[in-house]
Amino acid sequence: MKKRELPTLQDYCVLTLMRNRLLLEDVAHMPYRLIRPVLARLKADQLIRLEKTNAMLILADDEIWYELLKKDFPLNVHTQYVQRKNQVYEYYLNCIKDIEADLLEDRDLIKNHFHEAVKKDPVVFKYRLPSRLLYQQHQREMHKKQELSAERLRESVRQLQEEKEKSLITWLEEPLYAERATARSRPRPQRSHLYLKSYREHLKRREHFKSGGYDPTQRKVVRPASPASPVSPESPSSPTTMLSAGSAASGNQSTARSDEGSPTEIISGTSPHGVPQQKRANSPPQGIDDSQQTTENPPTSRKRSNLFMPRTLPPPPSKKPKIYIHRPR
């Protein structure tokens, strides 16, 4: 059975620092291998604050910056390489010069640490850019985007405020009276020749259809006079009066007729069903013999029209009643 090892004093110190990492402010002259678990729990701003107390941590904590890059910018985690190592050297030298410039005097110390930090990749044969540099670049880009969005938001708020001020109702102590603009004072718009020509034609057309035009309700209907003789007002529907009037007219006009196409007289009457009917008076009236009729009113070759003859309607068919016989089942 394996014995359980007791934690050392170094382990207790690391645990204490991890529990109170937010209160950690100075790690000067502390090697990276001892405080590596503590630095892995810190955020970017606190890590930068501890690097300012120990400048040599910048050359050794590239793996911690890579983890922070994956955590804060997961869509921009791309390893970038350069052909020359001068760009990487200049970046590290500027960082150390800003924090502690006296370390650059120790050539051997800087050479040993730079040899471990700046190495050529054996696969692509290029020098990889530090993760701290990539993190700072993405952070600056993010700040620029936030500033642009904030500026656009301020501009939109300002425009809304201006529109609100334009539509704001202001209280006037004394009312303003403005003269009403007349048609003569208003400037007339410039119209083209084609528009004026079409407008004049439109006015003429409207005046034409407004004054005249075809109106079926105002049309005058002219009917020709009927050839029938006038009927006395005493009994217009009596057949006897019509016959006497027809005989008198035929007696007076017997000498003047010379052709066979004289208009025939119309006798009005009622049908057996009570409907008023009219028929031609070609037959000789009562009280006149056939000889006198032949001399005075010669027969015509026309056939008698059945248009005004009374029509007898056939009786409706009789319907036999239906008899239903109930038969028990």
Side-chain angles (χ1 to χ4, degrees):
M1 185 175 178
K2 208 173 196 179
K3 292 183 180 181
R4 184 179 180 182
E5 296 181 358
L6 295 174
T8 60
L9 182 60
Q10 179 181 349
D11 298 335
Y12 282 116
C13 293
V14 171
L15 289 174
T16 304
L17 291 174
M18 290 174 64
R19 291 171 183 171
N20 303 284
R21 61 184 180 274
L22 298 178
L23 303 175
L24 193 60
E25 295 181 356
D26 192 357
V27 288
H29 308 289
M30 183 74 66
Y32 171 74
R33 59 181 179 83
L34 295 179
I35 59 172
R36 179 182 174 278
V38 181
L39 299 178
R41 300 294 185 90
L42 300 178
K43 294 183 179 181
D45 53 350
Q46 192 175 4
L47 182 59
I48 292 174
R49 189 170 62 250
L50 293 180
E51 285 178 350
K52 290 180 180 180
T53 60
N54 189 357
M56 301 307 296
L57 295 177
I58 299 176
L59 301 173
D61 59 355
D62 188 72
E63 56 180 353
I64 297 176
W65 280 107
Y66 185 74
E67 295 296 329
L68 289 174
L69 184 64
K70 291 193 298 182
K71 182 180 178 180
D72 295 342
F73 304 100
L75 301 178
N76 298 322
V77 181
H78 304 291
T79 305
Q80 298 182 13
Y81 298 92
V82 291
Q83 290 286 349
R84 299 179 181 180
K85 62 180 180 180
N86 294 336
Q87 185 176 354
V88 183
Y89 270 120
E90 290 177 359
Y91 172 73
Y92 282 132
L93 288 175
N94 293 331
C95 291
I96 295 175
K97 188 185 294 184
D98 295 338
I99 296 172
E100 193 174 356
D102 298 338
L103 293 176
L104 298 178
E105 297 177 0
D106 192 352
R107 298 288 182 178
D108 297 334
L109 180 64
I110 296 299
K111 186 177 180 180
N112 293 334
H113 282 80
F114 268 68
H115 181 72
E116 294 292 334
V118 182
K119 291 182 179 180
K120 182 180 287 188
D121 191 277
V123 179
V124 296
F125 298 102
K126 294 180 181 180
Y127 297 94
R128 190 170 68 88
L129 290 176
S131 301
R132 188 174 187 269
L133 174 62
L134 298 177
Y135 187 92
Q136 291 177 349
Q137 289 179 356
H138 296 319
Q139 195 174 22
R140 284 192 296 269
E141 292 177 359
M142 184 185 67
H143 289 328
K144 287 182 180 179
K145 292 179 181 179
Q146 289 178 355
E147 290 178 359
L148 291 176
S149 60
E151 183 65 26
R152 287 195 297 267
L153 180 61
R154 284 192 293 267
E155 184 66 21
S156 61
V157 171
R158 186 181 60 80
Q159 292 179 359
L160 290 175
Q161 190 67 23
E162 290 179 357
E163 292 178 358
K164 188 182 294 184
E165 290 178 357
K166 289 180 181 179
S167 60
L168 187 64
I169 300 175
T170 57
W171 181 263
L172 298 177
E173 297 180 357
E174 296 181 0
L176 299 177
Y177 296 97
E179 295 182 359
R180 185 176 180 181
T182 59
R184 295 182 179 179
S185 62
R186 295 173 187 168
R188 294 185 178 181
Q190 298 293 334
R191 302 293 185 179
S192 62
H193 176 70
L194 183 62
Y195 172 81
L196 295 176
K197 182 179 179 181
S198 62
Y199 182 70
R200 286 193 296 268
E201 292 179 357
H202 166 69
L203 292 179
K204 292 180 181 178
R205 196 179 300 109
R206 187 176 65 178
E207 187 66 24
H208 169 71
F209 284 104
K210 183 178 179 181
S211 61
Y214 176 73
D215 189 2
T217 59
Q218 303 296 333
R219 185 183 63 177
K220 294 182 180 180
V221 180
V222 181
R223 294 187 177 87
S226 60
S229 61
V231 182
S232 63
E234 295 177 357
S235 57
S237 62
S238 175
T240 57
T241 56
M242 293 294 293
L243 287 174
S244 60
S247 60
S250 61
N252 296 332
Q253 298 179 2
S254 59
T255 56
R257 293 177 182 172
S258 59
D259 54 348
E260 298 178 358
S262 62
T264 59
E265 296 175 358
I266 298 174
I267 300 176
S268 64
T270 57
S271 65
H273 300 283
V275 182
Q277 298 288 340
Q278 294 179 353
K279 61 181 180 179
R280 299 180 183 275
N282 292 330
S283 60
Q286 299 178 3
I288 302 175
D289 49 352
D290 297 338
S291 61
Q292 184 180 0
Q293 176 66 24
T294 53
T295 56
E296 293 181 357
N297 192 8
T300 59
S301 61
R302 293 184 182 179
K303 294 184 179 180
R304 182 176 297 178
S305 176
N306 297 329
L307 180 63
F308 300 99
M309 297 298 290
R311 298 178 61 185
T312 58
L313 298 176
S318 61
K319 295 184 180 180
K320 296 182 180 181
K322 295 182 179 181
I323 302 174
Y324 298 94
I325 301 175
H326 178 69
R327 294 180 181 179
R329 294 182 180 179

mmCIF file of all heavy atoms in Angstrom, residues 87-107:
data_model
loop_
_atom_site.group_PDB
_atom_site.id
_atom_site.type_symbol
_atom_site.label_atom_id
_atom_site.label_comp_id
_atom_site.label_asym_id
_atom_site.label_seq_id
_atom_site.Cartn_x
_atom_site.Cartn_y
_atom_site.Cartn_z
ATOM 1 N N GLN A 87 10.932 41.123 -34.896
ATOM 2 C CA GLN A 87 9.660 41.661 -34.414
ATOM 3 C C GLN A 87 9.347 41.153 -33.015
ATOM 4 O O GLN A 87 8.872 41.906 -32.157
ATOM 5 C CB GLN A 87 8.539 41.276 -35.392
ATOM 6 C CG GLN A 87 7.186 41.893 -35.062
ATOM 7 C CD GLN A 87 6.148 41.563 -36.109
ATOM 8 O OE1 GLN A 87 6.473 40.955 -37.146
ATOM 9 N NE2 GLN A 87 4.905 41.951 -35.861
ATOM 10 N N VAL A 88 9.648 39.878 -32.758
ATOM 11 C CA VAL A 88 9.405 39.316 -31.424
ATOM 12 C C VAL A 88 10.393 39.899 -30.419
ATOM 13 O O VAL A 88 10.024 40.250 -29.281
ATOM 14 C CB VAL A 88 9.520 37.781 -31.477
ATOM 15 C CG1 VAL A 88 9.205 37.172 -30.113
ATOM 16 C CG2 VAL A 88 8.587 37.209 -32.539
ATOM 17 N N TYR A 89 11.662 40.055 -30.805
ATOM 18 C CA TYR A 89 12.676 40.642 -29.917
ATOM 19 C C TYR A 89 12.304 42.080 -29.546
ATOM 20 O O TYR A 89 12.388 42.482 -28.374
ATOM 21 C CB TYR A 89 14.042 40.626 -30.598
ATOM 22 C CG TYR A 89 14.852 39.374 -30.327
ATOM 23 C CD1 TYR A 89 15.261 38.539 -31.367
ATOM 24 C CD2 TYR A 89 15.233 39.048 -29.019
ATOM 25 C CE1 TYR A 89 16.005 37.399 -31.111
ATOM 26 C CE2 TYR A 89 15.974 37.915 -28.769
ATOM 27 C CZ TYR A 89 16.350 37.084 -29.811
ATOM 28 O OH TYR A 89 17.074 35.952 -29.542
ATOM 29 N N GLU A 90 11.909 42.844 -30.532
ATOM 30 C CA GLU A 90 11.570 44.243 -30.251
ATOM 31 C C GLU A 90 10.378 44.360 -29.311
ATOM 32 O O GLU A 90 10.336 45.249 -28.451
ATOM 33 C CB GLU A 90 11.268 44.960 -31.577
ATOM 34 C CG GLU A 90 12.507 45.166 -32.439
ATOM 35 C CD GLU A 90 12.171 45.808 -33.773
ATOM 36 O OE1 GLU A 90 10.953 46.061 -33.998
ATOM 37 O OE2 GLU A 90 13.089 46.038 -34.574
ATOM 38 N N TYR A 91 9.423 43.467 -29.455
ATOM 39 C CA TYR A 91 8.259 43.531 -28.557
ATOM 40 C C TYR A 91 8.672 43.257 -27.110
ATOM 41 O O TYR A 91 8.290 43.998 -26.182
ATOM 42 C CB TYR A 91 7.203 42.516 -29.026
ATOM 43 C CG TYR A 91 6.049 42.381 -28.059
ATOM 44 C CD1 TYR A 91 5.091 43.389 -27.935
ATOM 45 C CD2 TYR A 91 5.942 41.246 -27.250
ATOM 46 C CE1 TYR A 91 4.047 43.269 -27.033
ATOM 47 C CE2 TYR A 91 4.890 41.119 -26.355
ATOM 48 C CZ TYR A 91 3.943 42.134 -26.252
ATOM 49 O OH TYR A 91 2.912 42.007 -25.353
ATOM 50 N N TYR A 92 9.430 42.207 -26.889
ATOM 51 C CA TYR A 92 9.859 41.884 -25.519
ATOM 52 C C TYR A 92 10.759 42.985 -24.945
ATOM 53 O O TYR A 92 10.648 43.340 -23.755
ATOM 54 C CB TYR A 92 10.588 40.543 -25.509
ATOM 55 C CG TYR A 92 9.654 39.346 -25.560
ATOM 56 C CD1 TYR A 92 9.874 38.295 -26.448
ATOM 57 C CD2 TYR A 92 8.573 39.257 -24.691
ATOM 58 C CE1 TYR A 92 9.037 37.202 -26.489
ATOM 59 C CE2 TYR A 92 7.734 38.155 -24.736
ATOM 60 C CZ TYR A 92 7.961 37.134 -25.631
ATOM 61 O OH TYR A 92 7.128 36.048 -25.657
ATOM 62 N N LEU A 93 11.649 43.514 -25.762
ATOM 63 C CA LEU A 93 12.537 44.568 -25.265
ATOM 64 C C LEU A 93 11.764 45.824 -24.873
ATOM 65 O O LEU A 93 12.050 46.447 -23.844
ATOM 66 C CB LEU A 93 13.580 44.908 -26.325
ATOM 67 C CG LEU A 93 14.670 43.857 -26.570
ATOM 68 C CD1 LEU A 93 15.566 44.265 -27.735
ATOM 69 C CD2 LEU A 93 15.517 43.665 -25.306
ATOM 70 N N ASN A 94 10.752 46.182 -25.643
ATOM 71 C CA ASN A 94 9.947 47.357 -25.302
ATOM 72 C C ASN A 94 9.154 47.147 -24.020
ATOM 73 O O ASN A 94 9.012 48.072 -23.194
ATOM 74 C CB ASN A 94 9.003 47.694 -26.456
ATOM 75 C CG ASN A 94 9.734 48.160 -27.700
ATOM 76 O OD1 ASN A 94 10.831 48.739 -27.595
ATOM 77 N ND2 ASN A 94 9.161 47.931 -28.864
ATOM 78 N N CYS A 95 8.645 45.930 -23.834
ATOM 79 C CA CYS A 95 7.894 45.647 -22.598
ATOM 80 C C CYS A 95 8.806 45.745 -21.366
ATOM 81 O O CYS A 95 8.418 46.325 -20.337
ATOM 82 C CB CYS A 95 7.265 44.257 -22.671
ATOM 83 S SG CYS A 95 5.931 44.116 -23.875
ATOM 84 N N ILE A 96 9.999 45.163 -21.470
ATOM 85 C CA ILE A 96 10.908 45.208 -20.319
ATOM 86 C C ILE A 96 11.405 46.625 -20.089
ATOM 87 O O ILE A 96 11.584 47.070 -18.946
ATOM 88 C CB ILE A 96 12.090 44.233 -20.553
ATOM 89 C CG1 ILE A 96 11.569 42.790 -20.595
ATOM 90 C CG2 ILE A 96 13.148 44.377 -19.465
ATOM 91 C CD1 ILE A 96 12.635 41.758 -20.947
ATOM 92 N N LYS A 97 11.663 47.382 -21.152
ATOM 93 C CA LYS A 97 12.128 48.759 -20.993
ATOM 94 C C LYS A 97 11.078 49.621 -20.306
ATOM 95 O O LYS A 97 11.406 50.501 -19.503
ATOM 96 C CB LYS A 97 12.477 49.340 -22.365
ATOM 97 C CG LYS A 97 13.151 50.705 -22.311
ATOM 98 C CD LYS A 97 13.353 51.259 -23.720
ATOM 99 C CE LYS A 97 14.344 50.385 -24.485
ATOM 100 N NZ LYS A 97 14.641 50.950 -25.836
ATOM 101 N N ASP A 98 9.779 49.408 -20.605
ATOM 102 C CA ASP A 98 8.727 50.191 -19.967
ATOM 103 C C ASP A 98 8.581 49.861 -18.491
ATOM 104 O O ASP A 98 8.207 50.724 -17.679
ATOM 105 C CB ASP A 98 7.386 49.947 -20.675
ATOM 106 C CG ASP A 98 7.409 50.456 -22.103
ATOM 107 O OD1 ASP A 98 8.259 51.330 -22.409
ATOM 108 O OD2 ASP A 98 6.577 49.970 -22.917
ATOM 109 N N ILE A 99 8.895 48.596 -18.107
ATOM 110 C CA ILE A 99 8.694 48.191 -16.709
ATOM 111 C C ILE A 99 9.967 48.431 -15.884
ATOM 112 O O ILE A 99 9.947 49.093 -14.843
ATOM 113 C CB ILE A 99 8.275 46.706 -16.651
ATOM 114 C CG1 ILE A 99 6.914 46.521 -17.341
ATOM 115 C CG2 ILE A 99 8.195 46.224 -15.205
ATOM 116 C CD1 ILE A 99 6.508 45.066 -17.500
ATOM 117 N N GLU A 100 11.049 47.862 -16.342
ATOM 118 C CA GLU A 100 12.312 47.946 -15.574
ATOM 119 C C GLU A 100 13.460 48.000 -16.574
ATOM 120 O O GLU A 100 13.920 46.968 -17.080
ATOM 121 C CB GLU A 100 12.448 46.733 -14.651
ATOM 122 C CG GLU A 100 13.528 46.877 -13.612
ATOM 123 C CD GLU A 100 13.530 45.723 -12.617
ATOM 124 O OE1 GLU A 100 12.633 44.855 -12.717
ATOM 125 O OE2 GLU A 100 14.428 45.684 -11.749
ATOM 126 N N ALA A 101 13.968 49.185 -16.834
ATOM 127 C CA ALA A 101 15.016 49.363 -17.837
ATOM 128 C C ALA A 101 16.386 48.919 -17.357
ATOM 129 O O ALA A 101 17.288 48.690 -18.175
ATOM 130 C CB ALA A 101 15.087 50.831 -18.265
ATOM 131 N N ASP A 102 16.593 48.760 -16.038
ATOM 132 C CA ASP A 102 17.917 48.367 -15.531
ATOM 133 C C ASP A 102 18.265 46.929 -15.880
ATOM 134 O O ASP A 102 19.445 46.546 -15.897
ATOM 135 C CB ASP A 102 17.964 48.544 -14.016
ATOM 136 C CG ASP A 102 17.768 49.995 -13.605
ATOM 137 O OD1 ASP A 102 18.030 50.884 -14.472
ATOM 138 O OD2 ASP A 102 17.347 50.255 -12.458
ATOM 139 N N LEU A 103 17.270 46.087 -16.144
ATOM 140 C CA LEU A 103 17.546 44.684 -16.473
ATOM 141 C C LEU A 103 18.233 44.530 -17.827
ATOM 142 O O LEU A 103 18.877 43.505 -18.074
ATOM 143 C CB LEU A 103 16.240 43.878 -16.483
ATOM 144 C CG LEU A 103 15.540 43.705 -15.132
ATOM 145 C CD1 LEU A 103 14.221 42.975 -15.315
ATOM 146 C CD2 LEU A 103 16.439 42.932 -14.165
ATOM 147 N N LEU A 104 18.096 45.506 -18.696
ATOM 148 C CA LEU A 104 18.720 45.399 -20.013
ATOM 149 C C LEU A 104 20.232 45.517 -19.953
ATOM 150 O O LEU A 104 20.936 45.164 -20.907
ATOM 151 C CB LEU A 104 18.154 46.481 -20.945
ATOM 152 C CG LEU A 104 16.651 46.391 -21.229
ATOM 153 C CD1 LEU A 104 16.207 47.558 -22.118
ATOM 154 C CD2 LEU A 104 16.300 45.065 -21.887
ATOM 155 N N GLU A 105 20.766 45.987 -18.824
ATOM 156 C CA GLU A 105 22.220 46.093 -18.678
ATOM 157 C C GLU A 105 22.877 44.730 -18.482
ATOM 158 O O GLU A 105 24.039 44.544 -18.833
ATOM 159 C CB GLU A 105 22.554 47.003 -17.509
ATOM 160 C CG GLU A 105 22.060 48.439 -17.708
ATOM 161 C CD GLU A 105 22.348 49.312 -16.503
ATOM 162 O OE1 GLU A 105 22.928 48.761 -15.527
ATOM 163 O OE2 GLU A 105 22.008 50.511 -16.526
ATOM 164 N N ASP A 106 22.133 43.779 -17.915
ATOM 165 C CA ASP A 106 22.653 42.421 -17.704
ATOM 166 C C ASP A 106 22.468 41.631 -18.994
ATOM 167 O O ASP A 106 21.407 41.047 -19.265
ATOM 168 C CB ASP A 106 21.937 41.761 -16.539
ATOM 169 C CG ASP A 106 22.634 40.485 -16.089
ATOM 170 O OD1 ASP A 106 23.575 40.050 -16.780
ATOM 171 O OD2 ASP A 106 22.217 39.925 -15.053
ATOM 172 N N ARG A 107 23.473 41.587 -19.824
ATOM 173 C CA ARG A 107 23.390 40.958 -21.126
ATOM 174 C C ARG A 107 23.196 39.453 -21.035
ATOM 175 O O ARG A 107 22.413 38.871 -21.796
ATOM 176 C CB ARG A 107 24.662 41.263 -21.937
ATOM 177 C CG ARG A 107 24.881 42.746 -22.227
ATOM 178 C CD ARG A 107 23.882 43.227 -23.262
ATOM 179 N NE ARG A 107 24.108 44.634 -23.602
ATOM 180 C CZ ARG A 107 23.402 45.288 -24.501
ATOM 181 N NH1 ARG A 107 22.416 44.662 -25.156
ATOM 182 N NH2 ARG A 107 23.656 46.569 -24.763
#
